[in-house]
Short mmCIF file of all heavy atoms in Angstrom, two decimals:
data_model
loop_
_atom_site.label_atom_id
_atom_site.label_comp_id
_atom_site.label_asym_id
_atom_site.label_seq_id
_atom_site.Cartn_x
_atom_site.Cartn_y
_atom_site.Cartn_z
N LEU A 213 -12.09 -7.11 19.62
CA LEU A 213 -11.58 -8.28 18.90
C LEU A 213 -12.63 -8.78 17.92
O LEU A 213 -12.31 -9.14 16.78
CB LEU A 213 -11.19 -9.38 19.88
CG LEU A 213 -10.80 -10.74 19.26
CD1 LEU A 213 -9.61 -10.60 18.31
CD2 LEU A 213 -10.50 -11.76 20.36
N ALA A 214 -13.88 -8.79 18.36
CA ALA A 214 -14.96 -9.20 17.46
C ALA A 214 -15.02 -8.29 16.23
O ALA A 214 -15.24 -8.77 15.11
CB ALA A 214 -16.30 -9.18 18.20
N ASN A 215 -14.82 -6.98 16.42
CA ASN A 215 -14.77 -6.07 15.27
C ASN A 215 -13.68 -6.48 14.29
O ASN A 215 -13.90 -6.50 13.07
CB ASN A 215 -14.49 -4.63 15.73
CG ASN A 215 -15.63 -3.99 16.47
OD1 ASN A 215 -15.40 -3.14 17.34
ND2 ASN A 215 -16.87 -4.34 16.15
N ALA A 216 -12.50 -6.79 14.82
CA ALA A 216 -11.38 -7.15 13.95
C ALA A 216 -11.63 -8.48 13.25
O ALA A 216 -11.39 -8.62 12.04
CB ALA A 216 -10.09 -7.20 14.76
N LEU A 217 -12.12 -9.46 13.98
CA LEU A 217 -12.45 -10.75 13.38
C LEU A 217 -13.50 -10.58 12.28
O LEU A 217 -13.38 -11.16 11.19
CB LEU A 217 -12.98 -11.70 14.45
CG LEU A 217 -11.94 -12.30 15.41
CD1 LEU A 217 -12.62 -12.81 16.68
CD2 LEU A 217 -11.16 -13.43 14.73
N PHE A 218 -14.52 -9.78 12.55
CA PHE A 218 -15.58 -9.55 11.58
C PHE A 218 -15.05 -8.87 10.32
O PHE A 218 -15.33 -9.29 9.19
CB PHE A 218 -16.70 -8.72 12.21
CG PHE A 218 -17.66 -8.13 11.21
CD1 PHE A 218 -18.40 -8.96 10.37
CD2 PHE A 218 -17.83 -6.76 11.11
CE1 PHE A 218 -19.29 -8.41 9.44
CE2 PHE A 218 -18.71 -6.21 10.19
CZ PHE A 218 -19.44 -7.04 9.35
N GLY A 219 -14.27 -7.80 10.50
CA GLY A 219 -13.78 -7.07 9.34
C GLY A 219 -12.92 -7.91 8.43
O GLY A 219 -13.03 -7.84 7.20
N LEU A 220 -12.08 -8.75 9.01
CA LEU A 220 -11.20 -9.61 8.21
C LEU A 220 -11.98 -10.76 7.57
O LEU A 220 -11.72 -11.13 6.42
CB LEU A 220 -10.06 -10.14 9.08
CG LEU A 220 -9.09 -9.06 9.56
CD1 LEU A 220 -8.08 -9.65 10.55
CD2 LEU A 220 -8.35 -8.42 8.38
N GLU A 221 -12.93 -11.33 8.30
CA GLU A 221 -13.74 -12.40 7.72
C GLU A 221 -14.65 -11.85 6.62
O GLU A 221 -14.86 -12.52 5.58
CB GLU A 221 -14.55 -13.10 8.80
CG GLU A 221 -15.45 -14.24 8.31
CD GLU A 221 -14.70 -15.42 7.71
OE1 GLU A 221 -13.45 -15.49 7.84
OE2 GLU A 221 -15.36 -16.29 7.11
N LEU A 222 -15.17 -10.66 6.82
CA LEU A 222 -15.98 -10.03 5.77
C LEU A 222 -15.14 -9.86 4.51
O LEU A 222 -15.61 -10.11 3.40
CB LEU A 222 -16.52 -8.69 6.26
CG LEU A 222 -17.34 -7.89 5.25
CD1 LEU A 222 -18.59 -8.65 4.81
CD2 LEU A 222 -17.72 -6.52 5.84
N HIS A 223 -13.90 -9.42 4.67
CA HIS A 223 -13.01 -9.29 3.51
C HIS A 223 -12.83 -10.63 2.80
O HIS A 223 -12.92 -10.68 1.56
CB HIS A 223 -11.65 -8.76 3.96
CG HIS A 223 -10.58 -8.93 2.94
ND1 HIS A 223 -10.58 -8.28 1.72
CD2 HIS A 223 -9.45 -9.72 2.94
CE1 HIS A 223 -9.52 -8.64 1.02
NE2 HIS A 223 -8.83 -9.51 1.73
N ARG A 224 -12.61 -11.69 3.55
CA ARG A 224 -12.42 -13.00 2.92
C ARG A 224 -13.67 -13.42 2.14
O ARG A 224 -13.58 -13.92 1.01
CB ARG A 224 -12.08 -14.04 3.99
CG ARG A 224 -10.66 -13.92 4.54
CD ARG A 224 -10.30 -15.10 5.44
NE ARG A 224 -10.92 -14.98 6.75
CZ ARG A 224 -10.34 -14.46 7.82
NH1 ARG A 224 -9.11 -13.96 7.75
NH2 ARG A 224 -10.97 -14.42 8.98
N ARG A 225 -14.83 -13.20 2.71
CA ARG A 225 -16.07 -13.63 2.06
C ARG A 225 -16.40 -12.75 0.85
O ARG A 225 -16.89 -13.24 -0.17
CB ARG A 225 -17.21 -13.65 3.07
CG ARG A 225 -16.99 -14.71 4.15
CD ARG A 225 -18.11 -14.81 5.16
NE ARG A 225 -17.79 -15.79 6.18
CZ ARG A 225 -18.62 -16.74 6.61
NH1 ARG A 225 -19.84 -16.84 6.11
NH2 ARG A 225 -18.24 -17.59 7.55
N LEU A 226 -16.16 -11.45 0.96
CA LEU A 226 -16.37 -10.57 -0.18
C LEU A 226 -15.43 -10.93 -1.33
O LEU A 226 -15.84 -10.92 -2.50
CB LEU A 226 -16.12 -9.11 0.24
CG LEU A 226 -17.16 -8.48 1.18
CD1 LEU A 226 -16.63 -7.17 1.74
CD2 LEU A 226 -18.48 -8.25 0.45
N THR A 227 -14.19 -11.25 -1.00
CA THR A 227 -13.22 -11.61 -2.03
C THR A 227 -13.64 -12.88 -2.75
O THR A 227 -13.60 -12.96 -3.99
CB THR A 227 -11.83 -11.77 -1.41
OG1 THR A 227 -11.44 -10.53 -0.79
CG2 THR A 227 -10.79 -12.15 -2.46
N ARG A 228 -14.05 -13.89 -1.97
CA ARG A 228 -14.47 -15.15 -2.59
C ARG A 228 -15.68 -14.94 -3.51
O ARG A 228 -15.82 -15.62 -4.52
CB ARG A 228 -14.81 -16.19 -1.51
CG ARG A 228 -13.61 -16.76 -0.81
CD ARG A 228 -13.96 -18.05 -0.08
NE ARG A 228 -14.95 -17.87 0.97
CZ ARG A 228 -14.65 -17.62 2.23
NH1 ARG A 228 -13.39 -17.51 2.62
NH2 ARG A 228 -15.61 -17.49 3.14
N ALA A 229 -16.54 -14.02 -3.13
CA ALA A 229 -17.75 -13.77 -3.91
C ALA A 229 -17.51 -12.87 -5.11
O ALA A 229 -18.41 -12.70 -5.94
CB ALA A 229 -18.83 -13.15 -3.02
N GLY A 230 -16.33 -12.28 -5.20
CA GLY A 230 -16.06 -11.35 -6.29
C GLY A 230 -16.80 -10.03 -6.15
O GLY A 230 -17.07 -9.34 -7.13
N SER A 231 -17.12 -9.64 -4.91
CA SER A 231 -17.85 -8.40 -4.66
C SER A 231 -16.93 -7.20 -4.82
O SER A 231 -15.75 -7.26 -4.48
CB SER A 231 -18.43 -8.42 -3.24
OG SER A 231 -18.98 -7.15 -2.91
N PRO A 232 -17.46 -6.07 -5.29
CA PRO A 232 -16.66 -4.84 -5.37
C PRO A 232 -16.46 -4.15 -4.02
O PRO A 232 -15.66 -3.23 -3.91
CB PRO A 232 -17.48 -3.95 -6.31
CG PRO A 232 -18.89 -4.37 -6.06
CD PRO A 232 -18.83 -5.86 -5.83
N VAL A 233 -17.19 -4.58 -3.00
CA VAL A 233 -17.12 -3.94 -1.69
C VAL A 233 -15.81 -4.31 -1.00
O VAL A 233 -15.42 -5.48 -0.99
CB VAL A 233 -18.32 -4.34 -0.80
CG1 VAL A 233 -18.24 -3.65 0.55
CG2 VAL A 233 -19.64 -4.02 -1.50
N ARG A 234 -15.15 -3.31 -0.42
CA ARG A 234 -13.93 -3.54 0.33
C ARG A 234 -14.22 -3.44 1.84
O ARG A 234 -14.87 -2.49 2.27
CB ARG A 234 -12.85 -2.52 -0.03
CG ARG A 234 -12.15 -2.80 -1.33
CD ARG A 234 -11.07 -1.78 -1.62
NE ARG A 234 -11.60 -0.67 -2.40
CZ ARG A 234 -10.87 0.35 -2.84
NH1 ARG A 234 -9.58 0.41 -2.53
NH2 ARG A 234 -11.41 1.30 -3.56
N SER A 235 -13.74 -4.40 2.59
CA SER A 235 -13.85 -4.36 4.04
C SER A 235 -12.49 -3.96 4.60
O SER A 235 -11.48 -4.63 4.37
CB SER A 235 -14.26 -5.72 4.60
OG SER A 235 -14.21 -5.73 6.02
N VAL A 236 -12.47 -2.84 5.34
CA VAL A 236 -11.23 -2.29 5.88
C VAL A 236 -11.40 -2.05 7.37
O VAL A 236 -12.48 -1.63 7.82
CB VAL A 236 -10.86 -0.96 5.17
CG1 VAL A 236 -9.47 -0.49 5.59
CG2 VAL A 236 -10.94 -1.09 3.66
N LEU A 237 -10.36 -2.31 8.14
CA LEU A 237 -10.36 -2.06 9.57
C LEU A 237 -9.58 -0.79 9.89
O LEU A 237 -8.66 -0.41 9.15
CB LEU A 237 -9.72 -3.23 10.32
CG LEU A 237 -10.57 -4.50 10.43
CD1 LEU A 237 -9.68 -5.68 10.82
CD2 LEU A 237 -11.69 -4.32 11.43
N ALA A 238 -9.94 -0.15 11.00
CA ALA A 238 -9.20 1.01 11.47
C ALA A 238 -9.25 1.02 12.99
O ALA A 238 -10.17 0.47 13.60
CB ALA A 238 -9.79 2.30 10.91
N HIS A 239 -8.26 1.64 13.60
CA HIS A 239 -8.35 1.92 15.03
C HIS A 239 -7.71 3.27 15.32
O HIS A 239 -6.79 3.69 14.63
CB HIS A 239 -7.73 0.79 15.88
CG HIS A 239 -6.24 0.84 16.05
ND1 HIS A 239 -5.63 1.71 16.93
CD2 HIS A 239 -5.24 0.12 15.49
CE1 HIS A 239 -4.31 1.52 16.90
NE2 HIS A 239 -4.06 0.57 16.03
N PRO A 240 -8.21 3.99 16.35
CA PRO A 240 -7.82 5.38 16.58
C PRO A 240 -6.64 5.56 17.52
O PRO A 240 -6.30 6.71 17.83
CB PRO A 240 -9.07 5.98 17.20
CG PRO A 240 -9.62 4.86 18.01
CD PRO A 240 -9.36 3.60 17.21
N GLY A 241 -6.03 4.47 18.01
CA GLY A 241 -5.02 4.64 19.06
C GLY A 241 -5.68 5.07 20.35
O GLY A 241 -6.81 4.67 20.67
N TYR A 242 -5.00 5.91 21.10
CA TYR A 242 -5.54 6.41 22.36
C TYR A 242 -6.03 7.83 22.11
O TYR A 242 -5.24 8.76 21.95
CB TYR A 242 -4.46 6.39 23.44
CG TYR A 242 -4.96 6.63 24.85
CD1 TYR A 242 -4.09 6.60 25.93
CD2 TYR A 242 -6.31 6.88 25.13
CE1 TYR A 242 -4.53 6.81 27.23
CE2 TYR A 242 -6.76 7.08 26.41
CZ TYR A 242 -5.87 7.06 27.46
OH TYR A 242 -6.31 7.28 28.75
N THR A 243 -7.33 7.98 22.06
CA THR A 243 -7.95 9.25 21.67
C THR A 243 -8.89 9.73 22.76
O THR A 243 -9.63 8.95 23.36
CB THR A 243 -8.71 9.08 20.34
OG1 THR A 243 -7.78 8.68 19.33
CG2 THR A 243 -9.38 10.37 19.93
N ALA A 244 -8.87 11.03 22.99
CA ALA A 244 -9.72 11.64 24.02
C ALA A 244 -11.13 11.79 23.49
O ALA A 244 -11.44 12.74 22.77
CB ALA A 244 -9.16 12.99 24.43
N THR A 245 -12.00 10.84 23.83
CA THR A 245 -13.41 10.93 23.45
C THR A 245 -14.26 10.99 24.71
O THR A 245 -13.75 10.90 25.84
CB THR A 245 -13.83 9.71 22.60
OG1 THR A 245 -13.88 8.55 23.44
CG2 THR A 245 -12.85 9.47 21.46
N THR A 246 -15.56 11.10 24.52
CA THR A 246 -16.48 11.16 25.66
C THR A 246 -16.92 9.78 26.13
O THR A 246 -17.70 9.69 27.08
CB THR A 246 -17.74 11.97 25.28
OG1 THR A 246 -18.37 11.34 24.15
CG2 THR A 246 -17.37 13.41 24.92
N LEU A 247 -16.42 8.71 25.51
CA LEU A 247 -16.88 7.37 25.89
C LEU A 247 -16.69 7.07 27.38
O LEU A 247 -17.60 6.53 28.01
CB LEU A 247 -16.16 6.31 25.05
CG LEU A 247 -16.77 5.99 23.68
CD1 LEU A 247 -15.96 4.90 23.00
CD2 LEU A 247 -18.22 5.58 23.80
N PRO A 248 -15.53 7.36 27.98
CA PRO A 248 -15.38 7.02 29.41
C PRO A 248 -16.39 7.73 30.30
O PRO A 248 -16.86 7.17 31.29
CB PRO A 248 -13.95 7.48 29.73
CG PRO A 248 -13.23 7.44 28.43
CD PRO A 248 -14.26 7.85 27.41
#
Side-chain angles (χ1 to χ4, degrees):
L213 172 59
N215 290 150
L217 285 160
F218 165 60
L220 293 173
E221 179 64 10
L222 178 61
H223 165 66
R224 287 188 284 265
R225 295 181 183 227
L226 290 167
T227 300
R228 287 197 298 268
S231 172
V233 181
R234 282 181 268 183
S235 173
V236 188
L237 286 164
H239 83 77
Y242 191 178
T243 299
T245 71
T246 59
L247 275 181

